[in-house]
Amino acid sequence: MDISLVGLGHIGKAVVGILNENHEYFKSKFNADIRVISVSDSRNTIYDKNGLNLDKVLMYKERKELDEVAEVIGMDEIYSLHSDIIVDMSPATKDGIAGMKMYTGAFEAGKHVVTSNKAPLALHWNEIMESSLKNRKKILYESSVGGGVPLFNLNKYSLKSSKLLEFRGQVSSTINFVLNQMIAGVDFHEAIKTAQNMGIAETDYRDDTNGLDGARKTVIIANALLGKDYTLKDVAYEGIDNIKDINYMKNSGEVYRVLSHITGGKDPVVESKIFTIKQEDPVASMDSLSMGYLERTDNNDDLTVFEKHDGPLETAAQVVNDILLLS
Ligand SMILES: NC(=O)c1ccc[n+]([C@@H]2O[C@H](COP(=O)([O-])OP(=O)(O)OC[C@H]3O[C@@H](n4cnc5c(N)ncnc54)[C@H](OP(=O)(O)O)[C@@H]3O)[C@@H](O)[C@H]2O)c1
């Protein structure tokens, strides 16, 4: 299995680390000999037909000398390489078009796609899935929502015989961490600064705090779980930029979380907004840095799945899991 990686930031570097450390383990356990033949960041794409030396990739990336590791090629050349999968770990763009073109280009070139990038899926679900179907190539996107928590694969493989009644998920850590801090009396900008220092908020945090990031995730969950082709236009969402009743929230003693909320049935609800959570609700047991969800189904009862802490390593582990599923 030869793969091309696009993006070598928090997630990309963690994926390279997991693949590097576990190469022999994956080979002996799954018979998966995974070679990374190209890696791209915003400036360079490097390529070695026999597989890149991953220690060197990480070391030279740190020194900002990625172009010293191997042959430098154009980003567009990755489609003509002999890779089986293109793995997208590049940043979300406003219109998601670059990602959509990357995926359809990969399918047309006979490659599967693994992605942690939400924007193309939230904005161009239909085009991407049609191209995947037409070219008989797969796209796996477990890491795009909920970090390390299994959601799409769990639904796809373990809940086939059930219908979704309701989904409530805490799938965005930045917005929930900042909201929690504000309720504890911390100023919005101070809370953002703390979140950035912890590595959970991006430099441009606005898509997180205005609710767009949560809306993108909600579209993907609804499409995957309900078999729809919604886009951002179909989601009602709110952020925490202009909360009017923060003083009320501070004094109420209740738990508040921004959740993706989706219902099944004839007229599904698809929204991402602030919920008041009762103490006895399983969702209240997640802290603001947890990722997880409660799913009500007809035949599998109510499932609660969550992880205590989420970060780049957990997300990267899901990227690698998708690569292993395809292998
Ligand atoms: N961080 C998380 O916990 C998390 C969780 C779930 C999903 N995601 C998603 O996963 C993706 C990656 O996240 P991240 O935290 O790793 O982001 P990041 O740290 O900002 O890294 C992004 C990487 O993509 C590269 N890049 C930027 N533009 C590119 C382009 N046009 N072509 C090729 N590479 C390009 C950057 O290059 P340079 O190194 O040269 O800047 C960088 O290496 C994002 O879509 C994010 O929303 C992240």
Side-chain angles (χ1 to χ4, degrees):
M1 178 65 74
D2 289 342
I3 64 176
S4 287
L5 304 183
V6 179
L8 203 50
H10 294 105
I11 308 299
K13 283 189 279 197
V15 164
V16 171
I18 294 174
L19 291 173
N20 196 24
E21 279 164 32
N22 295 283
H23 184 260
E24 290 312 306
Y25 170 67
F26 292 155
K27 214 160 131 181
S28 65
K29 183 152 191 208
F30 306 116
N31 200 21
D33 182 3
I34 298 165
R35 297 190 307 178
V36 178
I37 61 162
S38 79
V39 170
S40 310
D41 66 8
S42 65
R43 292 188 303 167
N44 293 298
T45 296
I46 54 167
Y47 164 65
D48 185 332
K49 68 175 189 320
N50 298 315
L52 292 159
N53 176 327
L54 298 184
D55 274 328
K56 240 174 135 179
V57 168
L58 291 175
M59 197 188 304
Y60 280 69
K61 173 64 184 167
E62 220 47 49
R63 294 191 205 152
K64 301 191 185 345
E65 292 173 352
L66 197 61
D67 54 334
E68 305 271 311
V69 177
E71 181 188 350
V72 177
I73 60 170
M75 169 71 198
D76 283 350
E77 290 180 67
I78 62 169
Y79 304 103
S80 52
L81 301 181
H82 55 91
S83 56
D84 304 288
I85 310 175
I86 291 182
V87 184
D88 178 20
M89 298 167 290
S90 64
T93 55
K94 279 266 176 276
D95 60 12
I97 288 177
M100 189 255 288
K101 287 190 173 159
M102 187 193 303
Y103 310 162
T104 54
F107 299 144
E108 283 159 17
K111 301 174 194 310
H112 302 294
V113 170
V114 168
T115 181
S116 66
N117 182 355
K118 295 163 279 280
L121 295 168
L123 290 154
H124 306 285
W125 180 271
N126 220 8
E127 296 97 307
I128 293 168
M129 296 308 160
E130 272 179 10
S131 172
S132 156
L133 209 62
K134 187 173 140 209
N135 293 288
R136 297 174 183 219
K137 291 292 152 191
K138 292 191 173 155
I139 177 162
L140 298 186
Y141 46 87
E142 181 65 70
S143 57
S144 64
V145 178
V149 177
L151 166 53
F152 304 117
N153 291 331
L154 191 143
N155 270 271
K156 190 166 171 182
Y157 294 104
S158 306
L159 299 177
K160 271 194 182 307
S161 58
S162 279
K163 281 196 260 341
L164 175 78
L165 302 177
E166 186 181 20
F167 174 97
R168 280 187 303 131
Q170 185 174 310
V171 290
S172 305
S173 49
T174 305
I175 196 167
N176 278 304
F177 174 78
V178 174
L179 176 62
N180 213 42
Q181 291 284 296
M182 286 162 67
I183 291 170
V186 179
D187 166 68
F188 175 83
H189 296 286
E190 274 306 307
I192 290 285
K193 223 180 282 169
T194 310
Q196 285 169 333
N197 290 338
M198 289 164 69
I200 57 166
E202 297 182 27
T203 319
D204 186 353
Y205 55 82
R206 283 165 300 187
D207 282 0
D208 277 313
T209 58
N210 67 19
L212 183 62
D213 185 68
R216 285 181 183 138
K217 289 171 176 166
T218 307
V219 173
I220 300 171
I221 301 167
N223 287 347
L225 269 49
L226 300 176
K228 302 279 186 189
D229 55 5
Y230 292 131
T231 72
L232 273 179
K233 293 194 300 289
D234 304 303
V235 189
Y237 70 93
E238 65 180 341
I240 57 166
D241 288 350
N242 297 304
I243 297 179
K244 290 188 188 69
D245 36 9
I246 194 76
N247 285 329
Y248 171 79
M249 290 164 124
K250 275 181 197 164
N251 298 320
S252 71
E254 307 269 17
V255 175
Y256 296 92
R257 293 279 188 262
V258 178
L259 303 180
S260 289
H261 180 225
I262 294 159
T263 60
K266 247 176 59 197
D267 294 308
V269 170
V270 183
E271 60 186 3
S272 173
K273 62 174 198 178
I274 303 171
F275 280 81
T276 312
I277 315 283
K278 293 203 173 6
Q279 294 292 349
E280 63 272 22
D281 187 326
V283 174
S285 62
M286 299 182 213
D287 75 28
S288 67
L289 289 170
S290 301
M291 290 278 195
Y293 58 91
L294 187 141
E295 194 170 323
R296 288 200 304 116
T297 71
D298 56 354
N299 296 329
N300 280 86
D301 199 24
D302 296 356
L303 296 153
T304 310
V305 184
F306 76 99
E307 61 179 345
K308 187 142 184 50
H309 167 83
D310 190 80
L313 181 66
E314 289 75 11
T315 298
Q318 290 294 6
V319 172
V320 175
N321 192 69
D322 276 349
I323 295 169
L324 289 168
L325 285 175
L326 288 172
S327 79

